[in-house]
Amino acid sequence: MKARVHVMLKNGVLDPQGEAVRHALGTLGFDGVDGVRQGKVIELELADGTSEATVNEMCEKLLANTVIESYQVELL
């Protein structure tokens, strides 16, 4: 069993990496980009029977900083 966790900065939190990507795209001639939010994807290989609640607990305790980040769990 696998899970994919998408972690993104919450709305209202400044994203300097996303801004750097937006600026670089403009420098390369891609002028149609008004904003970029950068995040991360974590793929987990789980033992059979691992629940989504357990994956959520992993996120809350380690994989995401829930003060400034939100996350979404996708079971595969």
Side-chain angles (χ1 to χ4, degrees), residues 18-35:
E19 182 58 25
V21 170
R22 187 201 60 75
H23 177 71
L25 289 169
T27 300
L28 293 171
F30 298 103
D31 297 325
V33 179
D34 291 331

Side-chain angles (χ1 to χ4, degrees), residues 7 14 26 28 30-32 39 43-44 52 59-60 68 75-76:
V7 181
L14 295 178
L28 293 171
F30 298 103
D31 297 325
E43 291 193 358
L44 304 168
E52 185 173 355
C59 293
E60 294 285 331
I68 62 169
L75 298 178
L76 306 173

